[in-house]
Amino acid sequence: MYSIENHCLTITLSRENHLLARQFSLQQDSVEKGKQVYLNTLAVCAVQSFLDWMGIETELNQGDSWNSVVRCFHNVADLVIPNLGKLECRPVLPEETVIILPPEVTEDRIAYIAVQFQEQLNEVQLLGFYPAIDPETSPKEIKITNFQPIETLIDYFDRLESALDFFQSNDPVTEKVKTRLAEQPLTEIIAGLERICRDYPKEKWRYAGAEFLARCVPVEAGTSWRGRGSNINRDDDSNQQEWQELAEELLNKLDEIWNEGTDAVPETKVTNQPLPQPMINAEFNTIPPEFISLPDWLQPNQIQLNGNFVALESFLQNLVGNLVFRYATAPRSRSAETEDILESISGIRQFKLAEYPLALVLAYQVETEEQRTIIARLYPNGEDAYLPPDLKLTVLEDTEVVFLEAISRSADNWIQLEFQGEPGEHFSIKIELGDISIMDNFMI
């Protein structure tokens, strides 16, 4: 077996992506600027592919990065999400630990995505995303370690969309804001308010929100008590008080919308599944004696796979409400030299380890006649979006020798192992939490 460790989402770049990047780069007046545009274009293409995979609409041609004049003078890699705003897709070179933020991308962005390049430009990794920043602080860089898992981008979009629906209602608070800030795009206001809810304790929302909203007022209106322009009246206490009251009321209403239903006792997701599987209560260690034949999974029209697995596609089609699993289609490893669609299948097994509902997604792919790729990814399967810490996912050779291992941290939505083997080889997957474990044996 050959180890291919992959803890981030890998996107394969197509020949068309490179041809387009080359076309844009050749329009530049220097080699260095051409390289910058080349990487920016590939980064945008990678993120657009990911969002398309997730079923999220994009407008590739509407961004500044697709404007021939703008990209000549600015270092931009933006991608437009209709009705929400712009994502900034920043390239990260090998060994870099931060993304650099040119001044032109510190405003008018709802989030930043780190796109990691390797020496070979045939694929990239999406390292995560960082929500909207405060342009007043003028950050020049963001550490990669501060980025959130890429799959939580869906939750972030949901927050922005629910806030946008609220702003488009006839609520008196939103009407006041829209009247005073008529020249400011709603999506920028919403992203700024979401940032305040995220970065500040609730007792400071009133002041941080008032300052943010006042900054959004056009300078010529002369009504802001703190802002970008010089026409500022900081001595008008009644004006400050009015902004603070408006900001506090608005942020409290948004907080209610964003947290609606989180305190209610939710229904168990297992009961919503049309393809129910018996939950395995792993009170004692179990080692199944038989090997699960992965080649059998490739047989057509199979819903129930062998072992305790069902076909992932069937599971996802009937899934209700679990945003984590909207990302559950395990990434396929593909050779950069081929554009052929390869034989592959993914299965999912639901079980409990102690009191934690979990799900193992296993992807099996035929790369060549003598090579197979296996991806094992472990998810939470209950209301909690995160895995319990110190949950161990292990691949063993011959049920004894540890080949690969991954251990969850406190904020991991999933953990993953990837490796390759030859037809007829055996391996086992063991999942442990403390002194409780389960294990499945497989034949490649």
Side-chain angles (χ1 to χ4, degrees):
M1 297 182 181
Y2 304 94
S3 172
I4 305 176
E5 295 194 33
N6 179 16
H7 302 290
C8 302
L9 176 65
T10 299
I11 301 291
T12 300
L13 296 169
S14 68
R15 182 172 179 271
E16 289 74 18
N17 295 154
H18 282 279
L19 289 175
L20 188 61
R22 178 175 173 78
Q23 175 188 335
F24 288 174
S25 68
L26 291 176
Q27 298 169 356
Q28 311 311 308
D29 58 5
S30 70
V31 173
E32 185 169 344
K33 179 63 177 178
K35 290 180 179 178
Q36 178 192 97
V37 169
Y38 197 100
L39 292 178
N40 285 349
T41 304
L42 290 181
V44 173
C45 288
V47 175
Q48 194 271 339
S49 296
F50 165 64
L51 294 178
D52 181 63
W53 176 36
M54 296 293 293
I56 297 173
E57 184 181 354
T58 59
E59 293 180 347
L60 189 63
N61 298 331
Q62 298 303 308
D64 291 338
S65 59
W66 248 246
N67 184 304
S68 59
V69 176
V70 175
R71 67 172 172 260
C72 285
F73 296 98
H74 293 290
N75 182 3
V76 290
D78 60 326
L79 178 62
V80 175
I81 311 298
N83 302 319
L84 282 186
K86 294 180 178 180
L87 293 176
E88 184 67 23
C89 316
R90 298 309 304 175
V92 181
L93 297 178
E95 309 304 324
E96 287 185 341
T97 58
V98 300
I99 66 166
I100 306 300
L101 298 182
E104 55 265 37
V105 306
T106 56
E107 295 187 45
D108 188 27
R109 299 294 190 270
I110 60 172
Y112 300 83
I113 297 183
V115 183
Q116 175 81 65
F117 286 83
Q118 303 301 328
E119 295 296 338
Q120 300 296 322
L121 301 182
N122 51 16
E123 63 181 25
V124 297
Q125 289 184 326
L126 304 188
L127 302 182
F129 89 100
Y130 195 90
I133 59 174
D134 184 0
E136 289 295 304
T137 63
S138 300
K140 296 181 180 179
E141 61 184 39
I142 304 174
K143 293 181 179 180
I144 298 299
T145 54
N146 292 334
F147 275 63
Q148 299 182 22
I150 191 67
E151 70 272 18
T152 61
L153 183 65
I154 305 301
D155 296 315
Y156 179 62
F157 284 172
D158 286 343
R159 285 167 68 86
L160 299 186
E161 287 175 348
S162 61
L164 185 60
D165 289 341
F166 173 58
F167 266 82
Q168 292 171 341
S169 69
N170 295 323
D171 187 276
V173 178
T174 61
E175 289 300 310
K176 286 182 184 179
V177 174
K178 288 187 289 186
T179 299
R180 295 187 178 197
L181 309 180
E183 297 184 17
Q184 190 80 358
L186 274 181
T187 53
E188 291 185 33
I189 297 173
I190 290 169
L193 293 170
E194 196 279 339
R195 176 188 56 78
I196 290 169
C197 283
R198 173 172 26 93
D199 291 348
Y200 290 86
K202 194 167 186 175
E203 61 270 17
K204 293 187 178 180
W205 287 358
R206 174 185 181 93
Y207 308 102
E211 185 172 343
F212 167 73
L213 293 176
R215 286 204 308 260
C216 295
V217 176
V219 173
E220 59 269 21
T223 58
S224 64
W225 58 276
R226 186 170 181 178
R228 298 188 183 99
S230 58
N231 188 13
I232 299 170
N233 183 2
R234 299 187 184 180
D235 298 324
D236 189 346
D237 291 337
S238 63
N239 193 32
Q240 294 183 29
Q241 181 77 13
E242 188 176 358
W243 277 117
Q244 289 171 7
E245 291 176 355
L246 180 61
E248 184 174 35
E249 188 174 2
L250 177 59
L251 286 166
N252 283 334
K253 287 194 173 187
L254 287 173
D255 185 48
E256 289 180 10
I257 292 170
W258 288 331
N259 292 293
E260 185 176 1
T262 56
D263 295 330
V265 177
E267 294 182 4
T268 304
K269 283 187 171 56
V270 176
T271 62
N272 291 330
Q273 305 302 332
L275 299 172
Q277 289 295 296
M279 301 298 286
I280 301 168
N281 192 350
E283 295 180 358
F284 304 97
N285 295 349
T286 58
I287 301 179
E290 298 181 356
F291 285 91
I292 298 171
S293 175
L294 293 179
D296 291 346
W297 287 14
L298 296 174
Q299 299 300 317
N301 303 319
Q302 286 203 104
I303 295 177
Q304 179 70 49
L305 305 176
N306 50 9
N308 293 295
F309 289 81
V310 296
L312 178 62
E313 288 74 11
S314 299
F315 172 84
L316 293 176
Q317 285 173 5
N318 297 285
L319 187 64
V320 178
N322 192 332
L323 289 174
V324 174
F325 277 109
R326 287 170 65 177
Y327 183 65
T329 45
R332 305 285 190 260
S333 293
R334 292 187 57 186
S335 171
E337 297 83 48
T338 178
E339 290 297 326
D340 295 332
I341 298 176
L342 304 178
E343 282 189 292
S344 64
I345 184 79
S346 295
I348 181 169
R349 176 185 179 182
Q350 302 176 80
F351 60 97
K352 276 188 177 180
L353 209 58
E355 73 274 22
Y356 296 101
L358 301 169
L360 174 65
V361 175
L362 192 68
Y364 175 76
Q365 179 170 291
V366 179
E367 300 282 359
T368 66
E369 189 173 329
E370 296 298 329
Q371 181 177 297
R372 307 290 186 266
T373 293
I374 295 94
I375 303 172
R377 183 179 287 180
L378 190 59
Y379 288 92
N381 196 26
E383 294 304 319
D384 196 339
Y386 302 102
L387 291 169
D390 300 319
L391 181 66
K392 187 182 297 185
L393 173 65
T394 307
V395 175
L396 304 112
E397 295 182 273
D398 299 323
T399 73
E400 296 178 356
V401 180
V402 174
F403 176 59
L404 290 173
E405 186 176 272
I407 302 175
S408 65
R409 300 162 298 183
S410 58
D412 281 335
N413 299 93
W414 49 268
I415 53 176
Q416 173 178 299
L417 296 172
E418 179 176 350
F419 57 97
Q420 291 183 337
E422 298 178 357
E425 286 188 298
H426 296 89
F427 70 94
S428 299
I429 291 180
K430 188 176 183 180
I431 301 165
E432 300 176 80
L433 186 60
D435 58 355
I436 301 174
S437 68
I438 65 170
M439 186 162 72
D440 282 307
N441 299 324
F442 300 89
M443 182 183 72
I444 298 177

